[in-house]
Amino acid sequence: MAAVFETEISNITDDASPDTIENWDSLRLINLVAALEDEFNIEFEEEEIVEMLNFKLVALLVAEKIK
Amino acid sequence: MEDLKYFEILAKKKELSKQNSSSPLKFMILSNITVNQLTDIAEYYLLTKGVNVVFDTGNYDNIVQDIQNLQNIDGIIIFWEAANIINGLHYKINLFSDKEYTQILEKVKSEIDLILPKLENIPTVIFNEFSSLLFNSFFRKKNKFDQLCDDLNNYLIEKLPKSVVKTDLNKIIAQVSVEKSHNSRDYISSKVLYSVDFLKAYTQFITPVIMSSVGKIKKALIFDCDNTLWKGVVGEDGFEGINMSENDKQGKPFNEVQNLATELSKHGVIIGLCSKNNPEDVDNVIQNHSDMILNDKYITIKKVNWKNKAENLREIATDLNLGIDSLVFVDDSDFEINLIKEQVPEITTVQVPKKLHIYPAEIRKKFSLFFKNVITEEDKRKTEMYANQVKRKTALAKAGNFEDYLKSLEMFVTVFINDKTKVARIAQMTQKTNQFNLTTKRYTESQILNFVENPIYNIFAVSVADKFGDNGITGLAIIKNNNDFAEIDTFLMSCRIIGRNIEFKFLEFIIDKTECEIIKSTYIKTKKNAQTENFFEKSGFILDNKNDDTKFYILQKQNIQKQSLDYIEISYGK
């Protein structure tokens, strides 16, 4: 996730969000989704992508999918 | 790269860019869709090829305006998606009246017209052809959307300058599949039309264009003989026992490979043999076997002996004055392939697959390594010219004394000054010449044309002939005449004519023709041009200043140190 947003891993806290990470914009979010789908062989619904508001929510969504 | 996940690509790109300290080329992706994932993928893949390129994306759906504002750019990629010319065009257009159809077609044509003048001044332009395939693959009949793409592509054929490299997206979609290329979810939400899988394949498809623009292409394809050019072992199975017949299932793949090699030879790729055999056995097959396609006309160099193949391949590179990394070697044997991989890892190797029916496809895959953006007359004659070079080396071995040998060549150098008909070849030389190139400045055809037309510049191109044949245009100097001094902006010679003192004769000639009394020059060090490091010193230039990579020289015209090179004749051509 740090790689997608070109930031330090230490910046990726549970609360990390577009407000705390400079490069977290809508385009990079698409890149993050592509990377996660690729990595875990999962597929997100449009509604789920809209819910990816901070790192914790992203992690929960992924955890849900790979269960 | 196909197997790498997007995260891995990001991580590896970071690693590689730390290791590569060269100053990056600047490319811009202009599009009317969102393709920002392409930047990471393409940057990563080119870094694995040793080329440092930074990709930037233009403003969304702003192709025409963005092009007008480009400056200092090494290349652009244009994604002009027909489906998004207006929102939803791919389905709306089929409800259009003829008048509406013509309006939209003319609109895009006029926008293409607007960008044309700019395209000529950008060194590398990759222009994707219009494609309807992602949306129309299920329709049996051509519809208006297909028609629009056809009409626009025909317009591109008519209008685009030949320096622009068109890219047929349908070929990439065919590799990936329509379903896996199309990112319908993100297209609807964010205009991200293409999947990561497509963008990986796209990157691989355009990489040869970028490699060619930086002069990193393979130049020679070297074959083993037994079970590589024909089925069987000539030394054991005999002349009659080997097989390369197009009418036999055993021989057919070899027949096809020989045809492919011949085709490459006709496009200027050097074809050679490196085989452990008795030379007379192999020559007999090449000259007398009725199924042999790849004959002596297309084979430039042969190392048929019982020596170590690593040694033979190194000799081939030396004989042809090529970098060892510009060789591709094909052999059937595990032993030989591993030997080369270990001892000369710079050489790209291809092992003849066990399943012979895929052998021709393996060779076709390698065509991209030899890809050249523009093919010139010199390329077409290259096989012949390199063959003459090999003859010269053989003559040298016989002559013994090098000076005597050079005299015996009867060299004749013809100089063309500011000759418009030579612009394509001149630009190509600036892009491709690495070894004997003092400043390694790369220029496009349009830049060269500007120099030719600008009275401040003089462009000298030389063609070199000797008793073995004509080498064509193989040397170049670009002189900029400032008010009180002249400056050698570029001085380069093709590797196939260096080592014959022509470079000194040529330099003396242009200095003689220069009107200024003071001449300045520079040597800019690269990884490949070490042999020219002291070239200017040898001709009497005085080192004026230097920093890490660059030496600056100055010369009073009368102080040029002429060598006695009476055996080379030089004069202006008509």
mmCIF file of all heavy atoms in Angstrom, chain B residues 45-77:
data_model
loop_
_atom_site.group_PDB
_atom_site.id
_atom_site.type_symbol
_atom_site.label_atom_id
_atom_site.label_comp_id
_atom_site.label_asym_id
_atom_site.label_seq_id
_atom_site.Cartn_x
_atom_site.Cartn_y
_atom_site.Cartn_z
ATOM 1 N N TYR B 45 9.397 -1.949 -16.549
ATOM 2 C CA TYR B 45 9.845 -2.884 -17.585
ATOM 3 C C TYR B 45 11.062 -2.334 -18.325
ATOM 4 O O TYR B 45 12.007 -3.072 -18.622
ATOM 5 C CB TYR B 45 8.697 -3.178 -18.554
ATOM 6 C CG TYR B 45 8.993 -4.314 -19.490
ATOM 7 C CD1 TYR B 45 9.151 -5.607 -18.995
ATOM 8 C CD2 TYR B 45 9.124 -4.104 -20.855
ATOM 9 C CE1 TYR B 45 9.434 -6.668 -19.841
ATOM 10 C CE2 TYR B 45 9.401 -5.154 -21.711
ATOM 11 C CZ TYR B 45 9.556 -6.440 -21.200
ATOM 12 O OH TYR B 45 9.833 -7.471 -22.038
ATOM 13 N N LEU B 46 11.064 -1.033 -18.587
ATOM 14 C CA LEU B 46 12.214 -0.457 -19.294
ATOM 15 C C LEU B 46 13.459 -0.463 -18.408
ATOM 16 O O LEU B 46 14.570 -0.654 -18.894
ATOM 17 C CB LEU B 46 11.885 0.950 -19.788
ATOM 18 C CG LEU B 46 10.927 0.919 -20.985
ATOM 19 C CD1 LEU B 46 10.206 2.238 -21.147
ATOM 20 C CD2 LEU B 46 11.674 0.554 -22.267
ATOM 21 N N LEU B 47 13.262 -0.286 -17.100
ATOM 22 C CA LEU B 47 14.418 -0.380 -16.188
ATOM 23 C C LEU B 47 15.042 -1.775 -16.247
ATOM 24 O O LEU B 47 16.261 -1.914 -16.183
ATOM 25 C CB LEU B 47 13.997 -0.052 -14.750
ATOM 26 C CG LEU B 47 13.912 1.434 -14.389
ATOM 27 C CD1 LEU B 47 13.249 1.604 -13.032
ATOM 28 C CD2 LEU B 47 15.291 2.089 -14.381
ATOM 29 N N THR B 48 14.206 -2.808 -16.382
ATOM 30 C CA THR B 48 14.778 -4.161 -16.479
ATOM 31 C C THR B 48 15.606 -4.306 -17.750
ATOM 32 O O THR B 48 16.455 -5.181 -17.844
ATOM 33 C CB THR B 48 13.703 -5.280 -16.481
ATOM 34 O OG1 THR B 48 12.932 -5.176 -17.685
ATOM 35 C CG2 THR B 48 12.788 -5.205 -15.282
ATOM 36 N N LYS B 49 15.356 -3.442 -18.735
ATOM 37 C CA LYS B 49 16.146 -3.458 -19.972
ATOM 38 C C LYS B 49 17.288 -2.442 -19.902
ATOM 39 O O LYS B 49 17.923 -2.147 -20.919
ATOM 40 C CB LYS B 49 15.264 -3.116 -21.177
ATOM 41 C CG LYS B 49 14.030 -3.945 -21.313
ATOM 42 C CD LYS B 49 14.350 -5.292 -21.930
ATOM 43 C CE LYS B 49 13.158 -6.214 -21.884
ATOM 44 N NZ LYS B 49 13.516 -7.605 -22.086
ATOM 45 N N GLY B 50 17.485 -1.850 -18.732
ATOM 46 C CA GLY B 50 18.577 -0.889 -18.567
ATOM 47 C C GLY B 50 18.278 0.502 -19.101
ATOM 48 O O GLY B 50 19.181 1.311 -19.275
ATOM 49 N N VAL B 51 17.016 0.784 -19.363
ATOM 50 C CA VAL B 51 16.669 2.111 -19.892
ATOM 51 C C VAL B 51 15.816 2.853 -18.856
ATOM 52 O O VAL B 51 14.790 2.354 -18.406
ATOM 53 C CB VAL B 51 15.890 1.988 -21.221
ATOM 54 C CG1 VAL B 51 15.525 3.370 -21.752
ATOM 55 C CG2 VAL B 51 16.721 1.235 -22.248
ATOM 56 N N ASN B 52 16.287 4.039 -18.510
ATOM 57 C CA ASN B 52 15.622 4.822 -17.471
ATOM 58 C C ASN B 52 14.700 5.848 -18.133
ATOM 59 O O ASN B 52 15.161 6.795 -18.744
ATOM 60 C CB ASN B 52 16.706 5.506 -16.629
ATOM 61 C CG ASN B 52 16.148 6.096 -15.351
ATOM 62 O OD1 ASN B 52 14.961 5.973 -15.060
ATOM 63 N ND2 ASN B 52 17.006 6.755 -14.587
ATOM 64 N N VAL B 53 13.404 5.618 -18.029
ATOM 65 C CA VAL B 53 12.439 6.540 -18.627
ATOM 66 C C VAL B 53 11.450 6.949 -17.543
ATOM 67 O O VAL B 53 10.984 6.114 -16.781
ATOM 68 C CB VAL B 53 11.642 5.873 -19.774
ATOM 69 C CG1 VAL B 53 10.727 6.893 -20.447
ATOM 70 C CG2 VAL B 53 12.563 5.246 -20.790
ATOM 71 N N VAL B 54 11.151 8.243 -17.479
ATOM 72 C CA VAL B 54 10.113 8.689 -16.566
ATOM 73 C C VAL B 54 8.890 9.058 -17.390
ATOM 74 O O VAL B 54 8.982 9.851 -18.329
ATOM 75 C CB VAL B 54 10.598 9.895 -15.736
ATOM 76 C CG1 VAL B 54 9.436 10.495 -14.958
ATOM 77 C CG2 VAL B 54 11.688 9.450 -14.785
ATOM 78 N N PHE B 55 7.764 8.427 -17.070
ATOM 79 C CA PHE B 55 6.521 8.707 -17.788
ATOM 80 C C PHE B 55 5.658 9.647 -16.960
ATOM 81 O O PHE B 55 5.501 9.465 -15.760
ATOM 82 C CB PHE B 55 5.728 7.419 -18.019
ATOM 83 C CG PHE B 55 6.314 6.529 -19.065
ATOM 84 C CD1 PHE B 55 7.268 5.584 -18.724
ATOM 85 C CD2 PHE B 55 5.923 6.643 -20.381
ATOM 86 C CE1 PHE B 55 7.813 4.754 -19.686
ATOM 87 C CE2 PHE B 55 6.473 5.814 -21.361
ATOM 88 C CZ PHE B 55 7.417 4.872 -21.006
ATOM 89 N N ASP B 56 5.107 10.615 -17.645
ATOM 90 C CA ASP B 56 4.189 11.526 -17.008
ATOM 91 C C ASP B 56 2.872 11.416 -17.770
ATOM 92 O O ASP B 56 2.881 11.048 -18.939
ATOM 93 C CB ASP B 56 4.752 12.949 -17.147
ATOM 94 C CG ASP B 56 4.477 13.746 -15.910
ATOM 95 O OD1 ASP B 56 3.561 13.349 -15.166
ATOM 96 O OD2 ASP B 56 5.170 14.752 -15.690
ATOM 97 N N THR B 57 1.759 11.711 -17.122
ATOM 98 C CA THR B 57 0.508 11.679 -17.880
ATOM 99 C C THR B 57 0.030 13.097 -18.101
ATOM 100 O O THR B 57 0.160 13.959 -17.218
ATOM 101 C CB THR B 57 -0.582 10.883 -17.147
ATOM 102 O OG1 THR B 57 -0.568 11.268 -15.775
ATOM 103 C CG2 THR B 57 -0.331 9.401 -17.242
ATOM 104 N N GLY B 58 -0.514 13.338 -19.280
ATOM 105 C CA GLY B 58 -1.059 14.655 -19.589
ATOM 106 C C GLY B 58 -2.395 14.837 -18.887
ATOM 107 O O GLY B 58 -2.848 13.971 -18.146
ATOM 108 N N ASN B 59 -3.029 15.959 -19.135
ATOM 109 C CA ASN B 59 -4.341 16.182 -18.546
ATOM 110 C C ASN B 59 -5.359 15.298 -19.235
ATOM 111 O O ASN B 59 -5.277 15.052 -20.426
ATOM 112 C CB ASN B 59 -4.742 17.648 -18.708
ATOM 113 C CG ASN B 59 -3.802 18.544 -17.941
ATOM 114 O OD1 ASN B 59 -3.510 18.292 -16.781
ATOM 115 N ND2 ASN B 59 -3.283 19.554 -18.617
ATOM 116 N N TYR B 60 -6.348 14.850 -18.457
ATOM 117 C CA TYR B 60 -7.355 13.944 -18.997
ATOM 118 C C TYR B 60 -8.095 14.604 -20.168
ATOM 119 O O TYR B 60 -8.565 15.737 -20.057
ATOM 120 C CB TYR B 60 -8.327 13.561 -17.872
ATOM 121 C CG TYR B 60 -9.550 12.843 -18.361
ATOM 122 C CD1 TYR B 60 -9.461 11.515 -18.754
ATOM 123 C CD2 TYR B 60 -10.759 13.505 -18.460
ATOM 124 C CE1 TYR B 60 -10.584 10.857 -19.223
ATOM 125 C CE2 TYR B 60 -11.879 12.853 -18.926
ATOM 126 C CZ TYR B 60 -11.786 11.531 -19.311
ATOM 127 O OH TYR B 60 -12.894 10.890 -19.785
ATOM 128 N N ASP B 61 -8.190 13.867 -21.265
ATOM 129 C CA ASP B 61 -8.911 14.316 -22.461
ATOM 130 C C ASP B 61 -8.453 15.699 -22.947
ATOM 131 O O ASP B 61 -9.252 16.572 -23.220
ATOM 132 C CB ASP B 61 -10.416 14.328 -22.199
ATOM 133 C CG ASP B 61 -11.186 14.319 -23.518
ATOM 134 O OD1 ASP B 61 -10.551 14.145 -24.582
ATOM 135 O OD2 ASP B 61 -12.411 14.501 -23.491
ATOM 136 N N ASN B 62 -7.160 15.845 -23.041
ATOM 137 C CA ASN B 62 -6.625 17.144 -23.435
ATOM 138 C C ASN B 62 -5.496 16.977 -24.431
ATOM 139 O O ASN B 62 -4.535 17.738 -24.427
ATOM 140 C CB ASN B 62 -6.084 17.840 -22.173
ATOM 141 C CG ASN B 62 -6.656 19.230 -22.041
ATOM 142 O OD1 ASN B 62 -7.191 19.765 -23.011
ATOM 143 N ND2 ASN B 62 -6.528 19.812 -20.872
ATOM 144 N N ILE B 63 -5.601 15.976 -25.289
ATOM 145 C CA ILE B 63 -4.480 15.600 -26.152
ATOM 146 C C ILE B 63 -4.011 16.784 -26.993
ATOM 147 O O ILE B 63 -2.830 17.117 -27.020
ATOM 148 C CB ILE B 63 -4.886 14.423 -27.079
ATOM 149 C CG1 ILE B 63 -5.230 13.195 -26.237
ATOM 150 C CG2 ILE B 63 -3.760 14.099 -28.056
ATOM 151 C CD1 ILE B 63 -5.797 12.036 -27.029
ATOM 152 N N VAL B 64 -4.958 17.436 -27.654
ATOM 153 C CA VAL B 64 -4.588 18.493 -28.603
ATOM 154 C C VAL B 64 -3.884 19.651 -27.895
ATOM 155 O O VAL B 64 -2.821 20.102 -28.318
ATOM 156 C CB VAL B 64 -5.838 18.986 -29.371
ATOM 157 C CG1 VAL B 64 -5.450 20.094 -30.339
ATOM 158 C CG2 VAL B 64 -6.472 17.825 -30.123
ATOM 159 N N GLN B 65 -4.457 20.075 -26.777
ATOM 160 C CA GLN B 65 -3.856 21.198 -26.057
ATOM 161 C C GLN B 65 -2.507 20.805 -25.444
ATOM 162 O O GLN B 65 -1.552 21.573 -25.489
ATOM 163 C CB GLN B 65 -4.781 21.687 -24.931
ATOM 164 C CG GLN B 65 -6.100 22.267 -25.419
ATOM 165 C CD GLN B 65 -7.154 21.184 -25.607
ATOM 166 O OE1 GLN B 65 -6.844 20.017 -25.888
ATOM 167 N NE2 GLN B 65 -8.407 21.568 -25.462
ATOM 168 N N ASP B 66 -2.457 19.599 -24.865
ATOM 169 C CA ASP B 66 -1.210 19.166 -24.211
ATOM 170 C C ASP B 66 -0.048 19.158 -25.203
ATOM 171 O O ASP B 66 1.059 19.552 -24.868
ATOM 172 C CB ASP B 66 -1.373 17.765 -23.614
ATOM 173 C CG ASP B 66 -2.017 17.804 -22.237
ATOM 174 O OD1 ASP B 66 -2.027 18.900 -21.642
ATOM 175 O OD2 ASP B 66 -2.490 16.767 -21.773
ATOM 176 N N ILE B 67 -0.315 18.697 -26.408
ATOM 177 C CA ILE B 67 0.774 18.614 -27.384
ATOM 178 C C ILE B 67 1.322 19.991 -27.697
ATOM 179 O O ILE B 67 2.535 20.182 -27.840
ATOM 180 C CB ILE B 67 0.297 17.889 -28.668
ATOM 181 C CG1 ILE B 67 0.192 16.399 -28.377
ATOM 182 C CG2 ILE B 67 1.240 18.157 -29.835
ATOM 183 C CD1 ILE B 67 0.038 15.513 -29.564
ATOM 184 N N GLN B 68 0.454 20.976 -27.763
ATOM 185 C CA GLN B 68 0.936 22.323 -28.082
ATOM 186 C C GLN B 68 1.925 22.826 -27.025
ATOM 187 O O GLN B 68 2.806 23.604 -27.309
ATOM 188 C CB GLN B 68 -0.229 23.323 -28.189
ATOM 189 C CG GLN B 68 -1.372 22.876 -29.088
ATOM 190 C CD GLN B 68 -0.938 22.569 -30.518
ATOM 191 O OE1 GLN B 68 -0.018 23.184 -31.042
ATOM 192 N NE2 GLN B 68 -1.570 21.584 -31.139
ATOM 193 N N ASN B 69 1.756 22.344 -25.794
ATOM 194 C CA ASN B 69 2.585 22.882 -24.704
ATOM 195 C C ASN B 69 3.832 22.063 -24.406
ATOM 196 O O ASN B 69 4.586 22.396 -23.501
ATOM 197 C CB ASN B 69 1.751 22.956 -23.420
ATOM 198 C CG ASN B 69 0.567 23.873 -23.598
ATOM 199 O OD1 ASN B 69 0.650 24.848 -24.347
ATOM 200 N ND2 ASN B 69 -0.543 23.570 -22.954
ATOM 201 N N LEU B 70 4.047 20.984 -25.145
ATOM 202 C CA LEU B 70 5.184 20.122 -24.815
ATOM 203 C C LEU B 70 6.512 20.792 -25.122
ATOM 204 O O LEU B 70 6.678 21.420 -26.155
ATOM 205 C CB LEU B 70 5.111 18.826 -25.625
ATOM 206 C CG LEU B 70 4.091 17.797 -25.169
ATOM 207 C CD1 LEU B 70 4.149 16.604 -26.087
ATOM 208 C CD2 LEU B 70 4.361 17.379 -23.734
ATOM 209 N N GLN B 71 7.452 20.598 -24.224
ATOM 210 C CA GLN B 71 8.811 21.092 -24.454
ATOM 211 C C GLN B 71 9.814 20.120 -23.866
ATOM 212 O O GLN B 71 9.532 19.489 -22.853
ATOM 213 C CB GLN B 71 8.975 22.466 -23.800
ATOM 214 C CG GLN B 71 8.581 23.572 -24.749
ATOM 215 C CD GLN B 71 8.569 24.910 -24.081
ATOM 216 O OE1 GLN B 71 8.652 24.992 -22.861
ATOM 217 N NE2 GLN B 71 8.471 25.959 -24.863
ATOM 218 N N ASN B 72 10.971 20.021 -24.480
ATOM 219 C CA ASN B 72 12.046 19.161 -23.967
ATOM 220 C C ASN B 72 11.548 17.769 -23.630
ATOM 221 O O ASN B 72 11.701 17.294 -22.509
ATOM 222 C CB ASN B 72 12.672 19.758 -22.700
ATOM 223 C CG ASN B 72 13.307 21.079 -23.002
ATOM 224 O OD1 ASN B 72 13.832 21.277 -24.106
ATOM 225 N ND2 ASN B 72 13.247 21.981 -22.058
ATOM 226 N N ILE B 73 10.917 17.152 -24.584
ATOM 227 C CA ILE B 73 10.358 15.844 -24.302
ATOM 228 C C ILE B 73 11.011 14.819 -25.236
ATOM 229 O O ILE B 73 11.302 15.123 -26.376
ATOM 230 C CB ILE B 73 8.812 15.898 -24.471
ATOM 231 C CG1 ILE B 73 8.138 14.691 -23.859
ATOM 232 C CG2 ILE B 73 8.412 16.036 -25.923
ATOM 233 C CD1 ILE B 73 7.763 14.891 -22.446
ATOM 234 N N ASP B 74 11.307 13.624 -24.718
ATOM 235 C CA ASP B 74 11.956 12.608 -25.538
ATOM 236 C C ASP B 74 10.946 11.764 -26.309
ATOM 237 O O ASP B 74 11.285 11.163 -27.317
ATOM 238 C CB ASP B 74 12.818 11.700 -24.658
ATOM 239 C CG ASP B 74 13.957 12.472 -24.025
ATOM 240 O OD1 ASP B 74 14.774 13.001 -24.788
ATOM 241 O OD2 ASP B 74 14.004 12.578 -22.792
ATOM 242 N N GLY B 75 9.729 11.694 -25.797
ATOM 243 C CA GLY B 75 8.756 10.896 -26.520
ATOM 244 C C GLY B 75 7.361 11.060 -25.956
ATOM 245 O O GLY B 75 7.186 11.527 -24.825
ATOM 246 N N ILE B 76 6.374 10.714 -26.785
ATOM 247 C CA ILE B 76 4.996 10.714 -26.294
ATOM 248 C C ILE B 76 4.283 9.444 -26.745
ATOM 249 O O ILE B 76 4.662 8.815 -27.728
ATOM 250 C CB ILE B 76 4.177 11.940 -26.779
ATOM 251 C CG1 ILE B 76 4.112 11.982 -28.304
ATOM 252 C CG2 ILE B 76 4.731 13.230 -26.225
ATOM 253 C CD1 ILE B 76 3.130 13.025 -28.816
ATOM 254 N N ILE B 77 3.281 9.070 -25.971
ATOM 255 C CA ILE B 77 2.405 7.954 -26.328
ATOM 256 C C ILE B 77 0.994 8.518 -26.369
ATOM 257 O O ILE B 77 0.587 9.222 -25.433
ATOM 258 C CB ILE B 77 2.495 6.837 -25.268
ATOM 259 C CG1 ILE B 77 3.927 6.302 -25.206
ATOM 260 C CG2 ILE B 77 1.497 5.734 -25.571
ATOM 261 C CD1 ILE B 77 4.115 5.248 -24.124
#
